[in-house]
């Protein structure tokens, strides 16, 4: 009984948090002189179960982010049968042996971060006669433990992906180092995208999505500000 009422309360929180985040996005867009709908909210539902995701769907949210192929495969096919027009972004690392499954489950891959993966995705899309928007992940902080193309290699990698491999590259994505001023990384990502003629900028999370919008984010990936804390930190 107690856990049921807790669930009910936390689920209604998801709806109200979503309203708050959407409002903050609109204000940040307006403050930056942009139309309120020019930054798309990717609601990051990783680690949260279907019961917690549903209130976001009920509140009209349709664009979601997940970081694990297996986890997404367990949650989203069922939800897609209930709610139309769901757009699912993969925002976590992708192993080449999961490419086929990822392409079946996701609508957008944000984490193209190396040549081997880019080639595997291109091959699988061709084989399945599909096309899919992708983002290239940039390791703006050049952190050794983090995925992503280094800034110095972005131009050549974009050329490979767009040209040679024919991928539908929509833009760039980054996750700034936790201990640095994110604005510097957002500005760098914007510069790298602009000089490659790319319009999409996936940047900004719960703590810094308003700043990211100031720097031109077209997609903000917001998890904990909507769904609350995740069971395991960093997962
Ligand atoms: C988890 C995650 C997010 C969301 O982070 P929050 O701080 O919970 O908003 C955004 N982007 C990526 C790549 C993530 O893994």
């Amino acid at each position: 009984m107690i856990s049921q009422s807790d669930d009910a309360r936390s689920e209604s929180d998801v709806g109200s948090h979503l309203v708050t985040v959407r409002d903050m996005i609109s204000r940040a867009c307006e403050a930056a002189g942009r139309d309120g709908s020019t930054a798309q909210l990717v609601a990051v539902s990783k680690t949260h179960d279907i019961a917690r995701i549903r209130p976001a769907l009920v509140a009209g949210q349709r664009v979601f982010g997940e970081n694990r192929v297996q986890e997404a495969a367990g949650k989203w096919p069922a939800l897609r049968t209930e709610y139309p027009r769901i757009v699912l972004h993969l925002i976590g690392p992708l192993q080449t042996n999961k490419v086929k499954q990822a392409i079946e489950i996701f609508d957008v891959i944000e984490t193209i971060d190396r040549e081997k993966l880019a080639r595997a995705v291109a091959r699988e899309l061709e084989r399945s006669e599909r096309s899919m928007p992708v983002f290239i992940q940039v390791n703006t902080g050049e952190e050794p433990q983090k995925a992503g193309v280094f800034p110095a290699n972005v131009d050549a990698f974009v050329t490979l992906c767009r040209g040679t491999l024919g991928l539908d590259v929509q833009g760039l994505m980054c996750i700034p180092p936790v201990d640095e001023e994110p604005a510097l990384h957002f500005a760098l990502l914007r510069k790298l995208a602009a000089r490659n003629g790319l319009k999409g900028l996936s940047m900004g999370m719960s703590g810094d999505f308003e700043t990211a919008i100031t720097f031109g984010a077209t997609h903000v990936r917001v998890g904990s500000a909507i769904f609350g804390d995740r069971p395991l930190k960093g997962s």
Side-chain angles (χ1 to χ4, degrees):
M1 290 303 254
I2 290 165
S3 77
Q4 197 175 18
S5 67
D6 275 358
D7 279 357
R9 192 181 61 225
S10 66
E11 283 167 27
S12 74
D13 280 355
V14 169
S16 71
H17 290 164
L18 190 58
V19 170
T20 303
V21 168
R22 280 188 191 144
D23 201 46
M24 289 168 77
I25 290 172
S26 304
R27 284 168 202 266
C29 282
E30 280 161 26
R34 301 167 51 181
D35 192 272
S37 60
T38 50
Q40 190 168 67
L41 172 60
V42 179
V44 177
S45 50
K46 64 188 185 190
T47 75
H48 297 293
D49 60 18
I50 285 180
R52 197 151 184 79
I53 296 170
R54 194 170 273 124
L57 286 156
V58 169
Q61 181 65 27
R62 287 295 178 272
V63 184
F64 291 85
E66 291 279 347
N67 69 335
R68 295 202 170 134
V69 177
Q70 222 55 49
E71 184 187 335
K75 299 192 297 199
W76 288 96
L79 288 169
R80 279 190 201 272
T81 65
E82 282 180 63
Y83 299 91
R85 298 184 306 279
I86 286 170
V87 179
L88 197 57
H89 289 228
L90 176 60
I91 61 165
L94 177 57
Q95 294 165 334
T96 48
N97 64 1
K98 296 235 176 84
V99 163
K100 187 175 187 295
Q101 195 183 11
I103 285 171
E104 284 163 8
I105 289 164
F106 289 91
D107 304 289
V108 180
I109 297 176
E110 294 205 19
T111 49
I112 303 293
D113 61 356
R114 60 199 191 277
E115 180 170 342
K116 190 182 175 199
L117 177 63
R119 288 188 184 280
V121 169
R123 202 163 38 238
E124 182 56 30
L125 286 172
E126 192 174 0
R127 199 196 60 78
S128 56
E129 296 180 332
R130 280 195 57 189
S131 132
M132 176 180 274
V134 301
F135 285 71
I136 289 169
Q137 184 174 356
V138 182
N139 189 350
T140 54
E142 303 190 15
E143 296 173 279
Q145 82 286 3
K146 201 171 267 177
V149 181
F150 277 19
N153 301 328
V154 165
D155 298 357
F157 192 65
V158 170
T159 301
L160 170 82
C161 290
R162 245 188 341 203
T164 316
L165 301 179
L167 289 173
D168 175 15
V169 181
Q170 300 269 311
L172 305 179
M173 174 269 209
C174 77
I175 310 168
V178 287
D179 53 353
E180 287 183 26
E181 179 53 59
L184 300 173
H185 296 271
F186 298 154
L188 173 59
L189 199 72
R190 177 173 66 181
K191 187 178 92 178
L192 294 168
R195 79 173 184 221
N196 283 284
L198 293 170
K199 292 205 173 68
L201 283 172
S202 173
M203 55 190 197
M205 316 197 330
S206 289
D208 55 19
F209 66 89
E210 290 167 295
T211 307
I213 288 170
T214 305
F215 282 86
T218 59
H219 295 73
V220 291
R221 310 177 308 266
V222 180
S224 45
I226 298 168
F227 297 103
D229 289 339
R230 287 179 289 273
L232 289 168
K233 198 170 184 302
S235 68

